Amino acid sequence: MALIKWIVVLLNYQRRRRSEWVVTTAVLVSLYSLYRQWAERRELKDNCPIVPYHNPLTGSTLEYRQNPQAFVEKYSAAFGPVFRIHIFGRLHTVVSGNYVREVFFNKNFSFADGSNKRFDLRLLTGMPKNDIVVEDVRSVVVKFLTVQMKTFTPRAVHYLNVGLKEALGELTEPKELSNLFSTVQHMVAKASASIFVGLNLCENKQVIEAFKEITTDVGLAFRMDNIWLERFTMINRLRMWYVGKYSSRVRNRKMQLVEAMKPVIEQRLQGLTGKIPNWSKPDDILQEIIENYPPPPHCKADIYTYYTHWMIALIFASVHTTTEHATIVLYRLLEQPEIMAELIEEQKLVYGDNLYCNNDEVFTSDSIKQLVKLDSVCREALRAKNEFLSLPHTNSSNQNIILSNGVVIPPGHDVLVNFWMNHRDTDLQKDTIGNYNKFEPFRYVDMHRPATKIGDDFLVFGEGRHACP
Ligand code: HEM
């Protein structure tokens, strides 16, 4: 009996200690957050309006997440193109209208630093610091991908078709799908792999799995929508580092890619030294990287992992983004199926009988440019997509940046781009149709605004020095 009493006392004591810990931590966290807010607001001594909020710990985050469209419309109408909000645990400045270019074109604003606070690819996938820098990734895309569009376009079209057949089988009769994303994801992964790692590796199931899944794996291993945790940049960086180092989900996926690529990299390195008779240089991005970007002297990763990190950087830039945006376009077409007939008519005009003769070579970048109606559907679907406050940019310099209206952005402070309002701004949008809350498929026909033309009125690919190449 005495023993039971003693155990109960001990358990109660432990429970009390645990609650004391929880309460103490909560108090410290709250005090720290309040102090940070006070310090931030003291630093921001301009007259920029701040969206009112009642709870100093959560700010406007819940209101924004509940209905982002209503939120941005309400406060843009109330405060104009530049205002501040307390969101995601910190004060941010929101910019819209022509002010967005003051952010995109200023070299002291960094998209990489802004997005790394919430999603640092290097930490999350265990890539050593400085082995691969974003400027080099951009150069690779510009020098070896954009320039070679003529060669790569028919290949991409071919492998999109192969991917479609693999995902759905031979389509001899209509098939019902529960969603489009996974089919498009398979198609995009297949086409991207054919260009990034080449024609042999794109037949490897493990490689395609990794191309498809690695972004989701990282997203599942690291969730950044915890309203209490998101304010702590350092703790979140630690969490990201932990995922990159210890998450078995991420590590296994990475190893899957390394193991598949190892023999191919080995063979290519030997081929370059002339040890393989009749070896011909493969025509893909991996080959260009092997030849032009050898591991830097400080690189501690083995050569296979180093080149795999390159592919991971390219996958993160391209596979999920392309899948998501292509899916958005397809859903818009499903919403208004009557548009299809016009698009098929346009394709018949451009390609004639070639459309049905299974010859991917006819899909050149020049012929695709003639599909102006399809292009307009793509641009319009992306203009009208559900994106609100995004593309965070941090002032990465050690001095204040002053916007042309006098608003001061101190070092380390983040700016969010008001994507939603710019895409509906009647001063910026130049077409004659108007009605920007509606999807108008042929809004851009004859407007000389193809889906690739970026600007203040179309921010899907960013703008300025770091716009999507
Ligand atoms: C629909 C698909 C895509 C979308 C919506 C998209 C969107 C974006 C956005 C918003 C940025 C940041 C721009 C800025 O900071 O101003 C970006 C940067 C970038 N994108 Fe894309 N992207 C797409 C596809 C691709 C593809 C296929 C590649 C090729 C590998 C790619 C490579 C890059 C690179 C390398 C950067 C970094 C540029 C830099 O920092 O200088 N993207 N993209």
Side-chain angles (χ1 to χ4, degrees):
M1 204 54 187
L3 181 67
I4 293 173
K5 259 189 191 164
W6 188 81
I7 291 172
V8 170
V9 169
L10 188 70
L11 283 176
N12 279 341
Y13 173 72
Q14 281 182 339
R15 207 170 294 141
R16 221 174 35 242
R17 285 291 303 268
R18 237 191 343 260
S19 345
E20 277 168 12
W21 259 105
V22 172
V23 171
T24 313
T25 315
V27 169
L28 286 177
V29 166
S30 312
L31 284 176
Y32 173 73
S33 300
L34 293 173
Y35 166 75
R36 272 257 312 267
Q37 264 177 72
W38 171 78
E40 265 179 336
R41 287 183 83 141
R42 213 171 60 125
E43 216 177 351
L44 298 165
K45 280 197 203 112
D46 48 25
N47 291 323
C48 187
I50 300 183
V51 168
Y53 53 89
H54 304 297
N55 184 336
L57 293 179
T58 54
S60 300
T61 309
L62 290 174
E63 189 188 350
Y64 173 73
R65 287 204 172 128
Q66 220 159 41
N67 189 341
Q69 177 181 342
F71 184 95
V72 292
E73 286 178 354
K74 176 174 167 189
Y75 293 111
S76 301
F79 297 130
V82 182
F83 56 88
R84 291 214 166 91
I85 52 174
H86 186 280
I87 195 170
F88 312 141
R90 290 190 303 281
L91 269 178
H92 289 71
T93 303
V94 173
V95 295
S96 60
N98 294 122
Y99 291 99
V100 299
R101 56 179 42 244
E102 295 188 28
V103 175
F104 285 120
F105 286 89
N106 187 324
K107 67 176 174 29
N108 290 327
F109 276 119
S110 163
F111 174 58
D113 289 353
S115 46
N116 282 351
K117 284 183 186 169
R118 296 180 67 78
F119 193 95
D120 187 329
L121 175 65
R122 188 179 60 74
L123 286 179
L124 284 163
T125 56
M127 287 190 203
K129 201 176 174 192
N130 295 333
D131 274 9
I132 301 167
V133 291
V134 67
E135 285 73 21
D136 286 344
V137 180
R138 185 186 181 88
S139 296
V140 163
V141 173
V142 173
K143 278 196 291 195
F144 306 121
L145 187 63
T146 319
V147 168
Q148 288 211 64
M149 269 311 184
K150 272 197 164 56
T151 326
F152 287 143
T153 303
R155 187 189 298 182
V157 174
H158 175 76
Y159 280 97
L160 284 171
N161 271 321
V162 173
L164 179 67
K165 279 200 188 118
E166 282 179 359
L168 302 184
E170 286 294 339
L171 285 173
T172 48
E173 52 190 49
K175 196 165 192 168
E176 199 168 300
L177 302 177
S178 61
N179 74 76
L180 283 176
F181 187 87
S182 53
T183 304
V184 178
Q185 186 188 45
H186 189 82
M187 294 166 69
V188 172
K190 193 86 184 173
S192 310
S194 76
I195 292 166
F196 293 169
V197 290
L199 301 182
N200 288 336
L201 275 176
C202 84
E203 299 300 341
N204 182 317
K205 281 205 169 79
Q206 307 284 309
V207 170
I208 299 301
E209 271 307 298
F211 266 65
K212 275 163 64 176
E213 300 299 343
I214 193 162
T215 314
T216 316
D217 287 330
V218 171
L220 288 173
F222 178 74
R223 296 195 66 89
M224 187 48 181
D225 50 7
N226 182 313
I227 196 160
W228 301 109
L229 274 184
E230 59 192 358
R231 75 203 58 228
F232 300 111
T233 311
M234 280 316 290
I235 293 180
N236 286 317
R237 292 193 69 71
L238 206 63
R239 286 175 63 216
M240 289 190 245
W241 169 84
Y242 186 84
V243 166
K245 197 137 180 87
Y246 298 110
S247 155
S248 53
R249 184 190 279 270
V250 176
R251 210 180 35 220
N252 291 346
R253 191 67 76 191
K254 198 164 112 177
M255 284 319 294
Q256 185 181 17
L257 202 50
V258 174
E259 288 307 319
M261 286 180 52
K262 214 175 198 171
V264 173
I265 294 171
E266 186 59 43
Q267 195 195 35
R268 291 182 183 207
L269 290 170
Q270 291 202 5
L272 282 173
T273 56
K275 287 184 189 152
I276 305 177
N278 303 327
W279 179 78
S280 63
K281 177 184 148 164
D283 182 11
D284 54 50
I285 305 297
L286 173 63
Q287 185 61 29
E288 299 293 358
I289 293 173
I290 291 176
E291 287 181 35
N292 295 286
Y293 293 88
H298 55 77
C299 176
K300 290 203 176 75
D302 63 73
I303 196 152
Y304 312 109
T305 309
Y306 168 74
Y307 288 122
T308 303
H309 284 156
W310 263 102
M311 290 305 123
I312 291 176
L314 288 172
I315 293 170
F316 269 82
S318 62
V319 176
H320 186 80
T321 46
T322 309
T323 305
E324 182 194 340
H325 289 82
T327 306
I328 289 173
V329 174
L330 289 172
Y331 273 113
R332 284 296 189 182
L333 286 176
L334 290 177
E335 212 174 62
Q336 293 189 21
E338 66 280 5
I339 315 167
M340 303 273 212
E342 272 196 69
L343 296 182
I344 291 172
E345 199 50 43
E346 177 181 69
Q347 289 183 22
K348 279 186 191 158
L349 277 175
V350 174
Y351 295 110
D353 291 339
N354 280 326
L355 194 58
Y356 304 103
C357 69
N358 239 346
N359 176 8
D360 302 315
E361 296 299 319
V362 301
F363 293 101
T364 61
S365 39
D366 288 337
S367 72
I368 287 175
K369 277 188 197 134
Q370 294 174 49
L371 304 172
V372 289
K373 286 187 179 167
L374 179 62
D375 188 83
S376 172
V377 169
C378 293
R379 184 175 171 106
E380 175 64 351
L382 303 190
R383 179 201 66 79
K385 80 180 178 128
N386 282 344
E387 188 148 359
F388 304 95
L389 303 179
S390 58
L391 299 176
H393 279 69
T394 303
N395 174 359
S396 294
S397 72
N398 52 14
Q399 53 204 357
N400 286 342
I401 297 175
I402 303 175
L403 302 183
S404 59
N405 60 352
V407 166
V408 179
I409 313 293
H413 184 83
D414 294 318
V415 172
L416 291 170
V417 172
N418 196 338
F419 193 100
W420 182 264
M421 293 313 287
N422 270 39
H423 279 205
R424 284 151 189 82
D425 184 327
T426 42
D427 291 336
L428 294 175
Q429 301 295 330
K430 306 277 186 317
D431 64 274
T432 48
I433 296 180
N435 198 6
Y436 295 110
N437 282 329
K438 197 161 174 274
F439 170 70
E440 289 285 354
F442 301 127
R443 186 186 289 284
Y444 296 108
V445 173
D446 296 329
M447 288 296 300
H448 305 291
R449 295 197 99 62
T452 47
K453 192 170 174 64
I454 54 180
D456 295 353
D457 59 334
F458 190 64
L459 300 169
V460 176
F461 301 102
E463 199 183 357
R465 298 162 53 248
H466 288 288
C468 185

